[in-house]
Amino acid sequence: MPSTWSSILEELKEESKRETPGGRASWAKLLLRKIKRVVDQTGRPLILYGSACTTPKRTTGRQLSIDIADKLGFHEMTERIDGPNVDVVVHSPGGSAEAVETIVEALRRKYSSVRYIIPAYAKSAATMMTMSGDQILMDIDAELGPIDPQMLLPNGVSPAEAVKEQFQKASQEILADQRKITVWMPILQPMGPSLLVQCDYAIELSRRLVREWLEKYMFKGDADGPVRAAAVAEYLGTASNFASHGRRVKLDQLQDPARNFRLNLVNLRDEPMLYQAIWEVYCVMDVIFSNTPVYKLFYNSVDDAMVRMEADVIVQQVAAPAVPQMKQLPKI
């Protein structure tokens, strides 16, 4: 029996044979069928938000990240889905905390119950988004990530805490030996006068948003909710806990009794039928990213869609255009 991903690819190939000019894209029809399988089990409408962050593409970096333009995509996906419940499948490397704040507020204004589903990968600001849910459903192999802010500097991106630590180290060494100023000066000059203050603000913002969302939603009504929310925000927001911003935060880490987070987490493997249905949705998304110019995808269970694509196509609806000719994958 072929793997799920290979089976999905074959299904898409068969669907594309029935595609008609001006009709709905074959991948859109396949994705909708798989999404409806999930909805049949949960009884809740579903929104899919994903980017090609784990698929080799020409598009990289900020285009794959959560940005303020995604507000439009979420608006489109929620316009025809009434409350009070919604599930959101997220596959994202993270991005702007400010954009996440805007998206979370829009979702929470309309839905009193929001669940986030993580089949594989939701890092950084995407992890922050999941912490605004009433519940998180994730695979045992799925990855969340640290939420410590990353600062854009002239020579690249650096963790805000590392910037502060480097400055403190420089200060200590220069105070101890004035001759070291010549060594540190080329490193410190590009930092700019406000960088350390910006680092403090960014660190506080990411932790405060997670803390407030947990208190307000997942821990609502819990007497010790504020303490637990602060502990989760502190844990996820402390760079030294992970040594790398790309480090995986696993389900069992968040469920560790010693940490006493008591987050409302569900291991998808405990619900095999739901897990399989969600995994098929994820595989369809990955096949789309692997075989079309699409690099960011919004879809929902009432067949609304919006995509962002590589090359000269920026944003388009998927009601009419057909999927480009699929690549023939090499046999292994």
Side-chain angles (χ1 to χ4, degrees):
M1 177 180 290
S3 68
T4 302
W5 195 95
S6 298
S7 297
I8 293 295
L9 180 60
E10 291 304 315
E11 284 189 64
L12 184 53
K13 287 179 179 178
E14 289 300 314
E15 187 68 57
S16 66
K17 293 176 183 178
R18 298 187 291 272
E19 197 167 82
T20 57
R24 198 148 183 81
S26 54
W27 62 259
K29 290 187 283 187
L30 177 60
L31 181 57
L32 180 62
R33 286 205 304 271
K34 300 302 182 182
I35 285 175
K36 284 187 173 180
R37 282 194 60 199
V38 175
V39 173
D40 286 344
Q41 294 186 52
T42 63
R44 298 165 62 99
L46 184 141
I47 295 169
L48 172 64
Y49 168 69
S51 76
C53 55
T54 55
T55 308
K57 305 283 280 187
R58 292 193 304 274
T59 305
T60 57
R62 296 182 68 179
Q63 287 178 295
L64 298 177
S65 301
I66 302 169
D67 59 32
I68 197 61
D70 292 340
K71 179 181 178 180
L72 173 61
F74 275 94
H75 183 275
E76 288 294 297
M77 295 308 102
T78 59
E79 190 170 358
R80 294 201 302 134
I81 294 179
D82 295 329
N85 306 321
V86 73
D87 288 344
V88 185
V89 174
V90 178
H91 184 72
S92 170
S96 164
E98 294 85 350
V100 168
E101 182 180 21
T102 297
I103 292 166
V104 166
E105 286 182 359
L107 288 172
R108 280 302 184 170
R109 190 161 49 246
K110 188 165 187 178
Y111 305 106
S112 59
S113 174
V114 179
R115 300 194 310 183
Y116 288 95
I117 302 173
I118 317 301
Y121 195 86
K123 311 283 268 191
S124 194
T127 295
M128 293 175 60
M129 183 185 291
T130 69
M131 294 295 152
S132 71
D134 298 276
Q135 188 178 64
I136 301 171
L137 291 72
M138 60 186 292
D139 183 32
I140 191 68
D141 291 329
E143 301 186 27
L144 296 179
I147 63 168
D148 60 300
Q150 307 298 291
M151 309 302 290
L152 183 61
L153 304 178
N155 58 346
V157 177
S158 295
E161 289 186 25
V163 172
K164 292 183 61 180
E165 187 175 331
Q166 184 181 55
F167 185 84
Q168 291 165 0
K169 181 179 180 182
S171 300
Q172 292 168 358
E173 290 192 7
I174 291 170
L175 286 173
D177 185 351
Q178 294 292 314
R179 292 172 299 179
K180 290 193 175 182
I181 194 169
T182 56
V183 177
W184 278 107
M185 188 58 68
I187 299 172
L188 297 176
Q189 269 185 330
M191 285 187 172
S194 66
L195 181 60
L196 295 180
V197 175
Q198 290 174 326
C199 287
D200 285 333
Y201 285 159
I203 292 168
E204 170 54 25
L205 176 63
S206 62
R207 295 185 186 187
R208 176 168 55 82
L209 289 175
V210 167
R211 184 174 66 247
E212 290 178 352
W213 289 335
L214 286 170
E215 284 186 42
K216 191 172 182 180
Y217 303 118
M218 194 177 293
F219 297 159
K220 182 179 180 180
D222 293 354
D224 59 349
V227 174
R228 286 156 51 209
V232 173
E234 178 79 13
Y235 173 70
L236 293 174
T238 302
S240 58
N241 286 339
F242 306 99
S244 167
H245 188 66
R247 192 88 177 272
R248 175 186 177 194
V249 177
K250 301 179 290 184
L251 181 67
D252 58 2
Q253 288 173 279
L254 297 173
Q255 291 180 323
D256 185 351
R259 295 193 173 98
N260 197 34
F261 293 154
R262 285 181 283 148
L263 290 160
N264 190 357
L265 298 171
V266 173
N267 181 353
L268 282 171
R269 300 291 179 105
D270 292 338
E271 301 185 35
M273 291 182 63
L274 180 59
Y275 164 72
Q276 183 60 32
I278 289 170
W279 188 247
E280 288 185 7
V281 168
Y282 170 73
C283 287
V284 173
M285 180 176 63
D286 190 75
V287 167
I288 292 167
F289 290 148
S290 300
N291 292 278
T292 78
V294 174
Y295 67 81
K296 188 173 280 189
L297 174 63
F298 301 84
Y299 218 101
N300 69 17
S301 52
V302 295
D303 204 20
D304 295 320
M306 194 174 82
V307 300
R308 292 196 173 90
M309 304 178 74
E310 292 179 327
D312 57 344
V313 182
I314 307 302
V315 179
Q316 71 178 47
Q317 299 289 340
V318 296
V323 66
Q325 183 65 38
M326 288 182 293
K327 305 171 188 174
Q328 181 63 44
L329 299 184
K331 293 182 178 180
I332 299 176

